[in-house]
Amino acid sequence: MNLPYEREEKNYTVEELVAEGRGILNKEAAALKAATERIGEEMAAAAHLVSRCRGRVVVSGLGKSGHVGRKTAATFASLGVPAFFLHATEGAHGDLGMVCREDVGYFLSNSGETQELIALIPYFKRLGAPIIAVTGNAGSTLAREADIVLNCHVESEADPLKLAPTSSTTLQMALGDAVAGTATLLLGLQKEDFALFHPGGSLGKRLLLRVSDLMGTGERMPITNQGARVRDALFDITSKGYGATAVVDDEGKLVGVFTDGDLRRFIEKEGLEGLDLPVSRAMTTNPRVIAPDRLAAEAVRIVEQWEVSALIVVQEGKPVGMVHIHEILKAGVA
């Protein structure tokens, strides 16, 4: 029995393999370029249909088109458009019960004649649920029965045999991205909305977490009056774990910051006698600050730009908290 892993590898040079790989990428790129010149108002119509959908976008396909369909449904959902993937075969065996009259069908079939997919059309028609067809055959049954047709025709597949779904599935996926992206414009989705659908990943943390979620406040916040001695400020630095303390005037307004680096430099200059001098003589004026409602990702940018380890969180001129770079990174914001 001649199993695939028993086959003798053909003799090709590295240069030949690289050239073949580049050729496949170029063929798929050419298919995408041809589609951009062919697609017209039907793209806008599909985007409007999706954005106005009061139910879900029901994506269906079979084989490689089914694999693309799963990704397309996931893309719709990630952009705030409720969607799910319906396996064409399972749909004809009971799963059509998940489809409602306010849904929109999004059917993928390169040939447009996939029988399992065609069998779903009457049910959608009976409900009055419109269908968007993504097919490479404009004269197919699927194209004739659909409300909107997105043409994914390719001159040939990109693989050496020109048989495996390659260029066609790449174009199918790109069209799904295009419909989802244009629908996003119509829905007015913002970055903050997008983050709500991705709370578990680093993307959600970058877009959702704010400084107020991470800063130390109350007893955790190191604050020293400008009239206090350096030795007193040293206690605030070491006891709160930030390596710094906010220095305030008698009204509680921020006037500077005193860090362990400031301490070393001041002792080198004044000697140990400097411990009994006012902290106002040792502090750094115009410290780096941030507002509590700013994104934690912005705090990362500031500490990296100015090479500091902690930021004082200020509101109306008064320090209300402190945030350390370690706390930000520990929260998954990078």
Side-chain angles (χ1 to χ4, degrees):
M1 182 177 181
N2 189 21
L3 295 174
Y5 50 80
E6 293 176 339
R7 292 175 183 167
E8 183 178 351
E9 188 177 80
K10 301 298 183 182
N11 188 22
Y12 288 97
T13 66
V14 171
E15 291 76 14
E16 289 172 329
L17 293 175
V18 170
E20 182 63 33
R22 288 174 175 170
I24 290 172
L25 292 176
N26 283 328
K27 290 174 186 176
E28 296 199 359
L32 291 174
K33 187 175 186 302
T36 63
E37 298 170 354
R38 181 174 63 236
I39 290 295
E41 294 181 358
E42 67 274 17
M43 174 62 66
H48 278 294
L49 192 58
V50 168
S51 67
R52 294 168 182 168
C53 177
R54 294 295 175 263
R56 290 90 33 96
V57 177
V58 183
V59 184
S60 189
L62 204 63
K64 301 301 184 293
S65 294
H67 294 312
V68 173
R70 291 181 186 277
K71 188 271 179 186
T72 299
T75 299
F76 279 130
S78 73
L79 290 172
V81 177
F84 69 93
F85 177 76
L86 174 68
H87 193 285
T89 301
E90 298 296 339
H93 291 275
D95 282 2
L96 276 173
M98 295 187 291
V99 182
C100 303
R101 65 178 66 253
E102 292 186 332
D103 292 343
V104 170
Y106 189 96
F107 291 2
L108 299 105
S109 171
N110 191 39
S111 69
E113 299 294 348
T114 306
Q115 290 305 305
E116 294 86 347
L117 197 63
I118 300 302
L120 306 182
I121 294 176
Y123 186 79
F124 279 76
K125 294 288 187 181
R126 192 180 316 150
L127 288 178
I131 296 173
I132 300 170
V134 181
T135 178
N137 184 356
S140 64
T141 302
L142 176 59
R144 291 196 304 270
E145 297 296 333
D147 297 271
I148 299 171
V149 178
L150 300 177
N151 191 339
C152 67
H153 172 74
V154 297
E155 291 300 324
S156 67
E157 299 292 0
D159 72 291
L161 299 177
K162 302 188 187 312
L163 295 174
T166 47
S167 294
S168 59
T169 49
T170 296
L171 181 51
Q172 284 179 343
M173 189 171 296
L175 286 171
D177 292 341
V179 173
T182 48
T184 298
L185 289 178
L186 294 170
L187 291 169
L189 190 77
Q190 302 297 315
K191 286 183 178 181
E192 291 76 13
D193 303 315
F194 185 78
L196 291 174
F197 312 133
H198 304 77
S202 60
L203 175 62
K205 290 182 174 65
R206 288 199 304 272
L207 295 177
L208 285 177
L209 273 181
R210 300 193 177 275
V211 171
S212 58
D213 299 319
L214 301 174
M215 68 184 187
T217 60
E219 294 183 355
R220 293 178 55 204
M221 169 67 182
I223 297 181
T224 305
N225 186 276
Q226 62 181 352
R229 296 176 301 171
V230 169
R231 67 172 66 251
D232 298 323
L234 176 59
F235 175 78
D236 292 330
I237 289 177
T238 57
S239 64
K240 303 300 173 65
Y242 285 96
T245 182
V247 182
V248 298
D249 61 17
D250 293 337
E251 296 180 353
K253 296 283 187 177
L254 181 69
V255 293
V257 64
F258 182 56
T259 70
D260 47 14
D262 291 326
L263 174 65
R264 289 192 299 271
R265 289 186 290 271
F266 191 66
I267 294 300
E268 288 176 2
K269 178 182 177 182
E270 302 290 342
L272 292 178
E273 293 79 7
L275 293 175
D276 291 315
L277 295 175
V279 70
S280 58
R281 291 182 55 179
M283 70 182 185
T284 297
T285 56
N286 300 317
R288 305 301 165 190
V289 301
I290 193 168
D293 62 345
R294 306 307 297 175
L295 290 173
E298 184 177 343
V300 174
R301 179 185 61 78
I302 295 174
V303 297
E304 288 179 344
Q305 178 181 354
W306 296 102
E307 297 181 348
V308 295
S309 59
L311 293 176
I312 301 173
V313 186
V314 174
Q315 193 168 38
E316 296 181 354
K318 295 183 178 181
V320 294
M322 189 172 286
V323 61
H324 198 282
I325 182 61
H326 292 163
E327 295 171 326
I328 302 173
L329 297 179
K330 186 178 179 180
V333 180

Coordinates of all heavy atoms in Angstrom, one line a residue, residues 38-89:
R38 N -14.0 43.9 -10.0 CA -15.3 43.3 -10.4 C -16.4 43.7 -9.4 O -17.6 43.9 -9.8 CB -15.2 41.8 -10.5 CG -16.4 41.1 -10.9 CD -16.1 39.6 -11.2 NE -15.7 38.9 -9.9 CZ -14.6 38.3 -9.8 NH1 -13.7 38.2 -10.7 NH2 -14.3 37.7 -8.6
I39 N -16.1 43.7 -8.1 CA -17.1 44.0 -7.1 C -17.7 45.4 -7.2 O -16.9 46.4 -7.4 CB -16.6 43.7 -5.7 CG1 -16.3 42.2 -5.5 CG2 -17.5 44.3 -4.6 CD1 -17.6 41.4 -5.5
G40 N -19.0 45.5 -7.1 CA -19.6 46.8 -7.2 C -20.6 47.1 -6.1 O -20.4 46.8 -4.9
E41 N -21.8 47.6 -6.5 CA -22.8 47.9 -5.5 C -23.4 46.8 -4.7 O -23.9 47.0 -3.6 CB -24.0 48.6 -6.3 CG -23.6 50.0 -6.9 CD -24.8 50.6 -7.6 OE1 -25.9 50.0 -7.6 OE2 -24.6 51.7 -8.1
E42 N -23.1 45.6 -5.2 CA -23.6 44.4 -4.4 C -22.9 44.3 -3.1 O -23.5 43.8 -2.1 CB -23.5 43.1 -5.2 CG -22.0 42.7 -5.5 CD -21.4 43.3 -6.7 OE1 -22.0 44.3 -7.2 OE2 -20.4 42.8 -7.2
M43 N -21.7 44.8 -3.0 CA -21.0 44.8 -1.7 C -21.7 45.7 -0.7 O -21.9 45.4 0.4 CB -19.5 45.3 -1.9 CG -18.7 45.4 -0.6 SD -18.6 43.9 0.3 CE -17.6 43.0 -0.8
A44 N -22.0 46.9 -1.2 CA -22.8 47.9 -0.3 C -24.1 47.3 0.1 O -24.5 47.5 1.2 CB -22.9 49.2 -1.0
A45 N -24.8 46.6 -0.9 CA -26.1 46.0 -0.5 C -26.0 45.0 0.5 O -26.8 44.9 1.4 CB -26.7 45.5 -1.8
A46 N -24.9 44.2 0.4 CA -24.7 43.1 1.4 C -24.4 43.7 2.8 O -24.9 43.2 3.8 CB -23.5 42.2 0.9
A47 N -23.6 44.8 2.8 CA -23.2 45.4 4.0 C -24.5 46.0 4.7 O -24.7 45.9 5.9 CB -22.2 46.5 3.8
H48 N -25.3 46.7 3.9 CA -26.6 47.2 4.5 C -27.5 46.1 5.0 O -28.1 46.2 6.1 CB -27.3 48.0 3.4 CG -26.8 49.4 3.2 ND1 -27.0 50.4 4.2 CD2 -26.2 50.0 2.1 CE1 -26.5 51.5 3.7 NE2 -26.0 51.3 2.5
L49 N -27.6 45.0 4.3 CA -28.4 43.9 4.7 C -27.9 43.3 6.1 O -28.7 43.0 7.0 CB -28.4 42.8 3.7 CG -29.5 41.7 3.8 CD1 -30.9 42.2 3.8 CD2 -29.3 40.7 2.7
V50 N -26.6 43.2 6.2 CA -26.0 42.7 7.4 C -26.2 43.7 8.6 O -26.6 43.3 9.7 CB -24.5 42.4 7.2 CG1 -23.8 42.1 8.6 CG2 -24.3 41.2 6.3
S51 N -25.9 45.0 8.3 CA -26.0 45.9 9.4 C -27.5 46.1 9.9 O -27.7 46.5 11.0 CB -25.4 47.3 8.9 OG -26.2 47.9 7.9
R52 N -28.4 45.9 9.0 CA -29.8 46.1 9.4 C -30.5 44.8 9.9 O -31.7 44.8 10.3 CB -30.6 46.6 8.2 CG -30.2 48.0 7.7 CD -30.8 48.3 6.4 NE -30.4 49.6 5.9 CZ -30.5 50.1 4.7 NH1 -31.1 49.3 3.7 NH2 -30.1 51.3 4.3
C53 N -29.7 43.7 9.9 CA -30.2 42.4 10.4 C -30.6 42.5 11.9 O -29.8 42.9 12.7 CB -29.2 41.4 10.2 SG -29.6 39.7 10.8
R54 N -31.9 42.2 12.2 CA -32.4 42.2 13.5 C -32.2 40.8 14.2 O -32.5 40.7 15.4 CB -33.8 42.6 13.5 CG -34.0 44.1 13.1 CD -33.3 45.0 14.1 NE -33.3 46.4 13.6 CZ -32.3 47.0 13.0 NH1 -31.2 46.4 12.8 NH2 -32.4 48.3 12.6
G55 N -31.8 39.8 13.4 CA -31.5 38.5 14.0 C -30.1 38.2 14.0 O -29.3 39.0 14.5
R56 N -29.7 37.1 13.4 CA -28.3 36.7 13.2 C -28.0 36.5 11.8 O -28.9 36.2 11.0 CB -28.0 35.4 14.0 CG -28.1 35.5 15.5 CD -29.4 35.2 16.1 NE -30.3 34.2 15.4 CZ -30.3 32.9 15.8 NH1 -29.6 32.4 16.7 NH2 -31.2 32.1 15.1
V57 N -26.7 36.6 11.5 CA -26.2 36.2 10.1 C -25.9 34.7 10.2 O -25.1 34.3 11.0 CB -25.0 37.0 9.7 CG1 -24.5 36.5 8.4 CG2 -25.3 38.5 9.6
V58 N -26.7 33.9 9.4 CA -26.5 32.5 9.4 C -25.6 32.1 8.3 O -26.0 32.1 7.1 CB -27.9 31.7 9.3 CG1 -27.7 30.2 9.3 CG2 -28.8 32.2 10.3
V59 N -24.3 31.7 8.6 CA -23.3 31.4 7.6 C -23.3 29.9 7.4 O -23.3 29.1 8.3 CB -21.9 31.9 8.0 CG1 -20.9 31.6 6.9 CG2 -22.0 33.4 8.4
S60 N -23.4 29.5 6.1 CA -23.4 28.1 5.8 C -22.6 27.7 4.6 O -22.4 28.5 3.7 CB -24.9 27.6 5.6 OG -24.9 26.2 5.5
G61 N -22.1 26.5 4.6 CA -21.3 26.0 3.5 C -20.9 24.6 3.8 O -21.2 24.0 4.8
L62 N -20.2 24.0 2.9 CA -19.7 22.6 3.0 C -18.3 22.5 2.5 O -17.9 23.2 1.6 CB -20.7 21.7 2.2 CG -20.8 20.2 2.7 CD1 -21.4 20.1 4.1 CD2 -21.7 19.5 1.7
G63 N -17.6 21.5 3.0 CA -16.2 21.3 2.6 C -15.3 22.5 2.9 O -15.4 23.1 4.0
K64 N -14.5 22.9 2.0 CA -13.6 24.0 2.2 C -14.3 25.3 2.4 O -14.0 26.1 3.2 CB -12.5 24.1 1.1 CG -11.7 22.9 0.9 CD -10.9 22.6 2.1 CE -9.9 21.4 1.8 NZ -10.7 20.1 1.6
S65 N -15.4 25.4 1.7 CA -16.3 26.6 1.9 C -16.9 26.6 3.3 O -17.1 27.7 3.8 CB -17.4 26.6 0.8 OG -16.9 26.8 -0.5
G66 N -17.1 25.5 3.8 CA -17.6 25.4 5.2 C -16.6 25.9 6.2 O -16.9 26.6 7.1
H67 N -15.3 25.5 5.9 CA -14.2 26.0 6.8 C -14.1 27.5 6.7 O -14.0 28.2 7.8 CB -12.9 25.4 6.4 CG -12.8 23.9 6.6 ND1 -13.2 23.3 7.8 CD2 -12.4 22.9 5.8 CE1 -13.1 22.0 7.7 NE2 -12.6 21.7 6.4
V68 N -14.2 28.1 5.5 CA -14.2 29.5 5.4 C -15.4 30.1 6.1 O -15.3 31.2 6.7 CB -14.2 29.9 3.9 CG1 -14.3 31.4 3.7 CG2 -12.9 29.4 3.2
G69 N -16.5 29.4 6.0 CA -17.8 29.9 6.6 C -17.6 30.1 8.1 O -18.1 31.0 8.7
R70 N -17.0 29.1 8.7 CA -16.8 29.2 10.2 C -16.0 30.4 10.5 O -16.3 31.2 11.5 CB -16.1 27.9 10.7 CG -16.9 26.7 10.6 CD -16.1 25.5 11.1 NE -16.9 24.3 10.9 CZ -17.9 23.8 11.7 NH1 -18.2 24.5 12.8 NH2 -18.5 22.7 11.5
K71 N -14.9 30.7 9.8 CA -14.1 31.9 10.0 C -14.9 33.2 9.8 O -14.8 34.1 10.5 CB -12.9 31.9 9.2 CG -11.8 32.9 9.5 CD -12.1 34.2 8.8 CE -11.1 35.3 9.1 NZ -11.4 36.6 8.5
T72 N -15.7 33.2 8.7 CA -16.5 34.3 8.4 C -17.5 34.6 9.5 O -17.7 35.8 9.9 CB -17.2 34.1 7.1 OG1 -16.3 33.9 6.0 CG2 -18.1 35.3 6.7
A73 N -18.2 33.6 10.0 CA -19.1 33.8 11.1 C -18.4 34.4 12.3 O -19.0 35.2 13.0 CB -19.8 32.5 11.5
A74 N -17.2 33.9 12.6 CA -16.5 34.4 13.7 C -16.1 35.8 13.5 O -16.1 36.6 14.5 CB -15.2 33.5 13.9
T75 N -15.8 36.2 12.3 CA -15.4 37.6 12.0 C -16.6 38.5 12.2 O -16.5 39.6 12.8 CB -14.9 37.8 10.6 OG1 -13.7 37.0 10.4 CG2 -14.6 39.2 10.2
F76 N -17.8 38.1 11.7 CA -19.0 38.9 12.0 C -19.2 39.1 13.5 O -19.4 40.2 13.9 CB -20.2 38.2 11.4 CG -20.4 38.4 9.9 CD1 -20.6 37.3 9.0 CD2 -20.4 39.7 9.3 CE1 -20.8 37.5 7.7 CE2 -20.5 39.8 8.0 CZ -20.7 38.8 7.1
A77 N -19.1 38.0 14.2 CA -19.4 38.1 15.6 C -18.4 39.0 16.4 O -18.7 39.8 17.3 CB -19.4 36.7 16.3
S78 N -17.1 38.9 16.0 CA -16.1 39.7 16.6 C -16.3 41.2 16.3 O -15.8 42.0 17.1 CB -14.7 39.3 16.2 OG -14.4 39.7 14.8
L79 N -17.0 41.5 15.3 CA -17.3 42.9 14.9 C -18.7 43.4 15.4 O -19.2 44.4 14.9 CB -17.1 43.1 13.4 CG -15.6 43.0 13.0 CD1 -15.6 43.1 11.4 CD2 -14.8 44.2 13.5
G80 N -19.3 42.6 16.2 CA -20.5 43.0 16.8 C -21.8 42.7 16.0 O -22.9 43.1 16.3
V81 N -21.6 41.8 15.0 CA -22.8 41.3 14.2 C -23.1 39.9 14.7 O -22.3 39.0 14.4 CB -22.5 41.4 12.7 CG1 -23.7 40.8 12.0 CG2 -22.2 42.8 12.3
P82 N -24.2 39.7 15.4 CA -24.5 38.3 15.8 C -24.5 37.4 14.7 O -25.2 37.6 13.7 CB -25.9 38.5 16.5 CG -25.9 39.9 16.9 CD -25.2 40.6 15.9
A83 N -23.8 36.3 14.7 CA -23.7 35.3 13.6 C -23.3 34.0 14.2 O -22.8 33.8 15.2 CB -22.6 35.8 12.6
F84 N -23.7 32.9 13.4 CA -23.3 31.6 13.8 C -23.2 30.8 12.5 O -23.7 31.1 11.4 CB -24.2 30.9 14.7 CG -25.6 30.6 14.2 CD1 -25.9 29.3 13.6 CD2 -26.6 31.5 14.2 CE1 -27.1 29.0 13.1 CE2 -27.9 31.2 13.7 CZ -28.1 29.9 13.2
F85 N -22.4 29.7 12.6 CA -22.2 28.8 11.4 C -23.2 27.6 11.5 O -23.3 27.0 12.5 CB -20.7 28.3 11.4 CG -20.5 27.3 10.3 CD1 -20.4 27.8 9.0 CD2 -20.4 25.9 10.5 CE1 -20.2 26.9 7.9 CE2 -20.2 25.1 9.4 CZ -20.1 25.5 8.1
L86 N -23.8 27.4 10.4 CA -24.8 26.3 10.2 C -24.2 25.3 9.2 O -24.1 25.6 8.0 CB -26.2 26.8 9.8 CG -27.2 25.8 9.5 CD1 -27.6 25.0 10.7 CD2 -28.4 26.4 8.8
H87 N -23.9 24.1 9.7 CA -23.4 23.1 8.8 C -24.5 22.7 7.8 O -25.6 22.4 8.2 CB -22.9 21.9 9.6 CG -22.1 20.9 8.8 ND1 -22.7 20.0 7.9 CD2 -20.8 20.6 8.7 CE1 -21.8 19.3 7.3 NE2 -20.6 19.6 7.8
A88 N -24.2 22.8 6.5 CA -25.3 22.6 5.5 C -25.9 21.2 5.7 O -27.2 21.1 5.6 CB -24.6 22.7 4.1
T89 N -25.2 20.2 5.9 CA -25.8 18.8 6.1 C -26.6 18.8 7.3 O -27.8 18.3 7.3 CB -24.7 17.8 6.1 OG1 -24.0 17.8 4.9 CG2 -25.3 16.4 6.2

